Coordinates of all heavy atoms in Angstrom, one line a residue:
V86 N -4.8 122.9 36.7 CA -5.7 121.9 37.2 C -7.1 122.4 37.7 O -8.1 121.8 37.4 CB -5.0 121.2 38.4 CG1 -5.9 120.2 39.1 CG2 -3.7 120.5 37.9
A87 N -7.1 123.5 38.5 CA -8.3 124.2 39.0 C -9.2 124.5 37.8 O -10.5 124.3 37.9 CB -8.0 125.3 39.8
S88 N -8.7 125.0 36.8 CA -9.6 125.5 35.6 C -10.1 124.2 35.0 O -11.2 124.3 34.5 CB -8.7 126.2 34.6 OG -8.1 127.4 35.1
G89 N -9.3 123.2 34.9 CA -9.8 121.9 34.4 C -11.0 121.2 35.2 O -12.0 120.8 34.7
V90 N -10.9 121.5 36.5 CA -12.0 121.1 37.4 C -13.3 121.9 37.0 O -14.4 121.4 36.9 CB -11.7 121.3 38.9 CG1 -12.9 121.0 39.7 CG2 -10.5 120.4 39.2
C91 N -13.1 123.2 36.8 CA -14.2 124.0 36.4 C -14.9 123.6 35.1 O -16.2 123.4 35.0 CB -13.8 125.6 36.3 SG -13.3 126.3 37.8
L92 N -14.0 123.3 34.1 CA -14.5 122.9 32.8 C -15.2 121.5 32.9 O -16.2 121.3 32.3 CB -13.4 122.7 31.8 CG -13.6 122.3 30.5 CD1 -14.7 123.3 29.7 CD2 -12.4 122.1 29.6
L93 N -14.5 120.6 33.7 CA -15.3 119.2 33.8 C -16.7 119.3 34.6 O -17.6 118.7 34.1 CB -14.3 118.4 34.6 CG -14.8 116.9 34.9 CD1 -14.9 116.2 33.5 CD2 -13.8 116.1 35.7
L94 N -16.5 120.2 35.6 CA -17.9 120.3 36.3 C -18.9 120.9 35.4 O -20.1 120.6 35.4 CB -17.8 121.1 37.6 CG -18.9 121.3 38.4 CD1 -19.3 119.9 39.1 CD2 -18.8 122.4 39.6
W95 N -18.5 122.0 34.5 CA -19.5 122.5 33.6 C -20.1 121.4 32.6 O -21.2 121.5 32.2 CB -18.8 123.7 33.0 CG -19.6 124.3 31.8 CD1 -20.8 125.1 31.9 CD2 -19.4 124.1 30.4 NE1 -21.2 125.3 30.7 CE2 -20.4 124.8 29.7 CE3 -18.4 123.4 29.7 CZ2 -20.4 124.8 28.3 CZ3 -18.4 123.4 28.2 CH2 -19.4 124.2 27.6
R96 N -19.1 120.6 32.1 CA -19.6 119.6 31.1 C -20.5 118.7 31.7 O -21.5 118.1 31.1 CB -18.3 119.0 30.5 CG -17.3 119.8 29.8 CD -17.9 120.1 28.4 NE -18.2 119.0 27.6 CZ -17.3 118.3 26.8 NH1 -16.1 118.8 26.7 NH2 -17.6 117.3 26.1
L101 N -25.0 124.3 36.6 CA -23.9 125.1 37.4 C -23.0 125.8 36.6 O -21.9 126.2 37.0 CB -23.1 124.0 38.2 CG -23.8 123.2 39.3 CD1 -22.9 122.3 40.1 CD2 -24.6 123.9 40.2
R104 N -22.0 129.1 38.0 CA -21.1 128.8 39.3 C -19.6 128.6 38.8 O -18.6 129.0 39.5 CB -21.7 127.7 39.9 CG -21.2 127.4 41.4 CD -21.7 126.1 42.0 NE -21.3 125.9 43.2 CZ -22.0 126.3 44.4 NH1 -23.1 127.0 44.1 NH2 -21.7 126.1 45.6
C105 N -19.4 127.8 37.7 CA -18.3 127.4 37.2 C -17.5 128.6 36.7 O -16.3 128.9 36.9 CB -18.2 126.5 36.1 SG -18.8 124.7 36.7
L106 N -18.2 129.6 36.1 CA -17.8 130.7 35.5 C -17.3 131.7 36.7 O -16.1 132.3 36.6 CB -18.7 131.5 34.7 CG -18.3 132.8 34.0 CD1 -17.1 132.6 33.1 CD2 -19.4 133.6 33.3
W107 N -18.1 131.7 37.7 CA -17.7 132.6 38.9 C -16.4 132.1 39.4 O -15.5 132.7 39.9 CB -18.9 132.4 40.0 CG -18.2 132.7 41.4 CD1 -18.0 133.9 42.0 CD2 -17.7 131.8 42.3 NE1 -17.4 133.7 43.2 CE2 -17.2 132.4 43.4 CE3 -17.7 130.3 42.3 CZ2 -16.7 131.8 44.5 CZ3 -17.1 129.7 43.4 CH2 -16.7 130.4 44.5
A108 N -16.2 130.7 39.6 CA -15.0 130.1 40.2 C -13.8 130.4 39.3 O -12.7 130.8 39.8 CB -15.2 128.5 40.4
F109 N -13.9 130.3 38.0 CA -12.8 130.6 37.2 C -12.4 132.2 37.3 O -11.2 132.4 37.4 CB -13.0 130.3 35.8 CG -12.0 130.6 34.7 CD1 -11.0 129.8 34.7 CD2 -12.0 131.7 33.9 CE1 -9.8 130.1 33.8 CE2 -11.0 131.9 33.0 CZ -10.0 131.2 33.0
I110 N -13.4 133.0 37.1 CA -13.0 134.4 37.2 C -12.4 134.8 38.6 O -11.4 135.6 38.6 CB -14.4 135.2 37.0 CG1 -14.7 135.0 35.6 CG2 -14.0 136.7 37.3 CD1 -16.0 135.8 35.2
M112 N -10.6 132.9 40.6 CA -9.3 132.4 40.7 C -8.3 133.3 39.9 O -7.2 133.7 40.3 CB -9.2 131.0 40.2 CG -9.9 130.0 41.2 SD -9.5 128.3 40.8 CE -10.5 128.1 39.5
V159 N -12.2 128.5 46.8 CA -13.1 128.4 45.5 C -13.5 127.2 45.2 O -14.7 126.8 44.9 CB -12.4 129.2 44.4 CG1 -13.2 128.9 43.1 CG2 -12.3 130.6 44.7
L160 N -12.5 126.2 45.2 CA -12.8 124.7 44.8 C -13.9 124.1 45.9 O -14.6 123.3 45.5 CB -11.6 123.9 44.6 CG -10.8 124.2 43.3 CD1 -9.7 123.2 43.3 CD2 -11.7 124.2 42.1
L163 N -17.2 125.5 45.1 CA -17.5 125.1 43.7 C -18.1 123.7 43.7 O -19.2 123.3 43.2 CB -16.4 125.2 42.8 CG -16.5 124.7 41.4 CD1 -17.7 125.5 40.6 CD2 -15.4 124.6 40.5
L164 N -17.3 122.8 44.4 CA -17.6 121.4 44.3 C -18.7 120.8 45.4 O -19.2 119.8 45.4 CB -16.4 120.5 44.4 CG -15.4 120.7 43.4 CD1 -14.1 120.1 43.7 CD2 -15.9 120.2 42.0

Side-chain angles (χ1 to χ4, degrees):
V86 173
S88 298
V90 171
C91 294
L92 180 60
L93 181 61
L94 187 66
W95 171 74
R96 293 288 298 273
L101 299 180
R104 191 185 189 91
C105 295
L106 182 60
W107 158 80
F109 177 76
I110 292 175
M112 290 188 293
V159 169
L160 289 187
L163 175 66
L164 297 173

